[in-house]
Each structure stands twice: as C-alpha cells, then as structure tokens.
Amino acid sequence: DTAVSQTPKYLVTQMGNDKSIKCEQNLGHDTMYWYKQDSKKFLKIMFSYNNKELIINETVPNRFSPKSPDKAHLNLHINSLELGDSAVYFCASSQDQLGGVETQYFGPGTRLLVL
Amino acid sequence: AQSVSQHNHHVILSEAASLELGCNYSYGGTVNLFWYVQYPGQHLQLLLKYFSGDPLVKGIKGFEAEFIKSKFSFNLRKPSVQWSDTAEYFCAVNAKAAGNKLTFGGGTRVLVKP
C-alpha cells in the first residue's frame, strides 16, 4: 500500500493551461504539504495544511491554489501555467501540526513539464 | 543566504569506499535534523533523524550521522558504500527560529562505481 500517493506521475502541458495534481495519504496524518523541486534539485515548501486549514503559505504565485477536501487529501491546482512552473512537485504528510518535529513522508512526485 | 548548506554537490566513489557528506545549518536554538535519500526515479525516503539525546544517530542501510552543536553540523557517514547507494542525499532542518518549517539543503548527488 502506498502511504502517500500522487497523480499524475507525469504531466506535460502547454503554457497557459490550467492543471491539477492530486495527493492522498492513508497514514491518518493531520498535516500535508506541497514542495517544489526545481531543476537544480532544490526542494522548497510551498504550502502546508493541517486538518484542512492552511498553515504555511510561502511566497508562491497566486496561480497556485491548494485545496484540501478532507485531511487525507491535498490537491494542487495551477492556473495559467508558465514555463518556470516546470519542476517536480512532491506531496508529503506528517502527524503533527507544526510539521517539523515529526517525520514527513513523501509521495513519488509529479514531474510537470510546461511547453 | 542558504540556511542549510550541503557543500558537496557531486561525489563519485568506488564500492567499499567510505562516504561522508557534510551538512551545516545557520539556525540557533532547538533544531531537529534529518537526512533523506532519493534513489533514481523514486521519492524521498527518510534515512535517519535527530531530535535529542545521543548526537550519534544510526539510520537505515548502515548510515549514521553525528550532530555537533558547536559546529552547527549534521554530517552523514557510511563506512563502506555499495553501488545501490547511488542516489541524491538531502539534509533537512526544522528549527523554531525558521518558523518550524522543514528546510532542505541543495542535495548531494552520490555516484558509486561498481
């Protein structure tokens, strides 16, 4: 059983399109995250939700909008995709609210390529 | 300035060689420290973590790391690497001073030649 799953695994799309990436965790965790890993492999947090409430919102363009229908899901919707959005997006989850003390478990990543 | 630094971007070594990857951070106060590994085409997996207690931490697959508070370091070591240790290694720090967000270093790509 995959603890943190993401769909799709690969996403190739044109500039200007709107796309969504889904994330689900079956660990019963309270907190979920989205990270962006750029071409230089730098991992940076984008958002964090605890029990469907936004906890962390880094300096991310408002074209990116996370949505958490329940605490097991955190989806990422991206409007008007740009070339610079090309990256690998990782979802993660952890048990605690603050998101740091407990271990974060990562999904397999979604490789987004914007043409 | 980067708050979590991994000085080696690429490391190439032969099987059975010893590995040490450096990690330094710039936060004061209480920190929680992690090493994650990303095998080719796979997701991040936790190797080991330090919260408190013995500063020498044992992880999976024969890895260990030592927290040296005075040096703000958490270096990863393995005495004898295998070809299957080829991967990208990420140090990560959670610090109250950074708003309790997990901050990653830039990663070190390790290639083990058979």
Side-chain angles (χ1 to χ4, degrees):
Chain A
D1 286 342
T2 304
V4 183
S5 59
Q6 294 177 228
T7 54
K9 193 170 181 180
Y10 299 96
L11 184 54
V12 181
T13 188
Q14 300 285 334
M15 268 198 313
N17 285 350
D18 303 339
K19 291 292 178 185
S20 291
I21 308 172
K22 295 185 177 181
C23 178
E24 176 181 2
Q25 54 95 4
N26 62 8
L27 298 167
H29 287 166
D30 294 324
T31 308
M32 296 184 72
Y33 314 80
W34 276 108
Y35 286 86
K36 180 180 179 180
Q37 186 179 43
D38 63 22
S39 58
K40 295 183 180 178
K41 296 284 188 174
F42 273 101
L43 260 166
K44 193 166 182 185
I45 191 165
M46 301 172 69
F47 302 102
S48 159
Y49 267 72
N50 176 266
N51 277 319
K52 302 194 296 175
E53 286 190 29
L54 183 65
I55 302 294
I56 295 173
N57 185 357
E58 291 295 286
T59 307
V60 176
N62 57 15
R63 298 182 294 104
F64 290 79
S65 53
K67 288 182 172 52
S68 182
D70 54 63
K71 77 171 192 177
H73 295 85
L74 181 62
N75 303 324
L76 183 65
H77 189 76
I78 315 170
N79 288 326
S80 303
L81 278 155
E82 299 178 358
L83 294 176
D85 297 332
S86 296
V88 183
Y89 293 84
F90 286 98
C91 178
S93 72
S94 69
Q95 180 57 47
D96 66 310
Q97 176 175 356
L98 296 177
V101 176
E102 294 298 326
T103 302
Q104 293 186 23
Y105 294 85
F106 285 80
T110 295
R111 283 152 183 78
L112 171 65
L113 177 61
V114 182
L115 302 175
Chain B
Q2 192 173 346
S3 303
V4 181
S5 300
Q6 292 180 240
H7 306 294
N8 308 102
H9 297 293
H10 294 90
V11 172
I12 301 174
L13 61 169
S14 299
E15 276 193 311
S18 64
L19 173 70
E20 179 158 0
L21 303 180
C23 174
N24 287 90
Y25 59 92
S26 59
Y27 303 109
T30 301
V31 291
N32 300 302
L33 303 158
F34 305 80
W35 274 98
Y36 282 86
V37 61
Q38 188 176 22
Y39 297 105
Q42 296 190 28
H43 61 282
L44 285 152
Q45 302 172 42
L46 182 70
L47 268 181
L48 47 79
K49 60 187 177 184
Y50 171 81
F51 288 168
S52 63
D54 189 344
L56 186 60
V57 179
K58 304 282 186 185
I60 60 171
K61 305 187 181 187
F63 284 90
E64 65 178 30
E66 185 174 12
F67 171 49
I68 303 179
K69 190 172 183 179
S70 60
K71 294 185 178 180
F72 296 84
S73 70
F74 189 56
N75 293 353
L76 180 71
R77 297 193 291 253
K78 184 168 183 177
S80 177
V81 294
Q82 301 171 313
W83 174 79
S84 58
D85 292 322
T86 293
E88 188 109 20
Y89 293 81
F90 293 92
C91 179
V93 177
N94 165 262
K96 191 174 181 180
N100 276 322
K101 290 176 290 191
L102 195 61
T103 303
F104 283 84
T108 299
R109 187 166 295 181
V110 174
L111 173 62
V112 180
K113 297 184 293 183

